[in-house]
Amino acid sequence: MSLFASVDDARDKLASTGYLVDSELATVVFLGDAMGKPVLLEGPAGTGKTELAKAVAAGTGATLIRLQCYEGLDEARALYEWNYRKQLLRIQAAQATTDGAWDEIHDDIFSEPFLLERPLLAAIRHEGPVVLLIDETDKADVEVEGLLLELLSDFQVTIPELGTIAASQRPFVVLTSNSTRELSEALKRRCLHAQVEYPDAARERAIVRSRVPEVTEVLAEQIVRAVRAMRALDLRKPPSVAETIDWARAVEALGHHDLTDAVAGQTLGVVLKNDMDKATVRDRLRLPAPSVS
């Protein structure tokens, strides 16, 4: 069953969650669904790659299953593992009550009740629409890509004790990468690709107004202008789109309808999470230092 009827339908369903996309990204999302191909999103951190997968799930009513990648991630954490503690208890119980043959015990402990699903297997076996988010793929070791190649090629996995498990319905797969390392060409070939950058000023204002509708057009414009000025500086962690939204929500919560220098200085910790970055912004944008009283 398709999640989207057309490119316009994809754009509209994403917009219903507050996620606004241009026609190019809407087309990639639609084709990923229509062709059953994974969508690889690359770009700087904070540009909304992860949020796109969440928006697809929310806009279509699909279940979101997320695999967060990190250095040292292995098959047991990504795909499946056996519940060793439960298996040991089963063996001890069998030895205490019967003289059952090992072959019988083996077949029992390597069966469904002892299997622990991890995100990849859960997505394959899920009944109904599902969005599989493989987040920050570039942080995983190269060996994990080999596991993903089998999954993304055939949408099936092999468990030696249980056999091959194939997806009854292909999940909509989104892989994200902050480009900290180059992903393999074999993995990229299996995906549709989109480069996700920070939105332009008009789209970011529209995003803010969509997510925080109580914010005035004037305040949204002031906040977006300030954030874009910060991104132009040499900061360790430029503000993300999510932090732009948080800043608008924070200023509104304080009862302000104008982003004065005093208000910006007071709320800088909402949008910047590094002390050196805060010092740089205060100096370059001439914002007041925090009050000590």
Side-chain angles (χ1 to χ4, degrees), residues 58-288:
T60 61
T63 299
L64 177 68
I65 297 177
R66 179 176 182 175
L67 173 63
Q68 178 63 52
C69 296
Y70 54 88
E71 186 177 352
L73 178 69
D74 60 10
E75 182 175 304
R77 293 298 177 185
L79 187 56
Y80 76 95
E81 63 181 326
W82 293 105
N83 189 331
Y84 300 117
R85 180 175 297 180
K86 189 175 179 180
Q87 287 176 322
L88 180 59
L89 290 174
R90 174 66 182 88
I91 293 171
Q92 291 172 339
Q95 291 174 340
T97 59
T98 69
D99 294 326
W102 166 246
D103 288 344
E104 295 177 4
I105 300 175
H106 177 277
D107 291 343
D108 185 17
I109 64 175
F110 287 103
S111 60
E112 188 72 31
F114 297 88
L115 184 67
L116 295 177
E117 282 186 345
R118 298 308 182 202
L120 297 183
L121 180 59
I124 287 291
R125 304 211 303 177
H126 185 79
E127 297 291 338
V130 60
V131 175
L132 172 60
L133 168 60
I134 304 174
D135 210 9
E136 298 185 303
T137 310
D138 53 321
K139 286 188 176 180
D141 298 328
V142 175
E143 290 76 13
V144 174
E145 289 192 30
L147 176 63
L148 294 178
L149 288 176
E150 178 188 1
L151 178 79
L152 300 180
S153 294
D154 304 318
F155 285 92
Q156 64 181 31
V157 296
T158 300
I159 300 176
E161 298 83 358
L162 298 180
T164 299
I165 300 174
S168 57
Q169 177 177 314
R170 286 196 173 200
F172 182 90
V173 182
V174 176
L175 300 92
T176 74
S177 169
N178 295 334
S179 301
T180 58
R181 72 170 177 85
E182 188 72 18
L183 300 178
S184 70
E185 290 301 318
L187 181 61
K188 286 187 172 184
R189 280 197 302 271
R190 284 160 174 78
C191 303
L192 304 182
H193 180 271
Q195 184 73 21
V196 182
E197 302 291 346
Y198 293 112
D200 60 27
R203 180 168 288 110
E204 194 159 14
R205 285 196 304 271
I207 291 170
V208 170
R209 295 296 308 282
S210 174
R211 294 296 185 95
V212 195
E214 61 272 23
V215 168
T216 65
E217 181 69 34
V218 171
L219 179 56
E221 182 174 354
Q222 292 173 333
I223 287 175
V224 169
R225 188 187 308 123
V227 166
R228 291 175 67 81
M230 293 177 191
R231 289 177 187 150
L233 303 175
D234 186 21
L235 301 181
R236 294 183 62 183
K237 174 60 177 71
S240 68
V241 176
E243 285 160 338
T244 305
I245 295 168
D246 285 345
W247 202 14
R249 189 173 286 122
V251 172
E252 181 66 27
L254 291 171
H256 299 297
H257 303 292
D258 190 42
L259 188 67
T260 63
D261 287 350
V263 171
Q266 179 187 6
T267 57
L268 203 57
V270 176
V271 72
L272 295 175
K273 312 299 169 60
N274 178 275
D275 282 343
M276 292 182 63
D277 286 348
K278 292 179 188 177
T280 299
V281 167
R282 291 186 191 280
D283 178 58
R284 298 288 296 275
L285 302 187
R286 299 181 181 180
L287 297 180

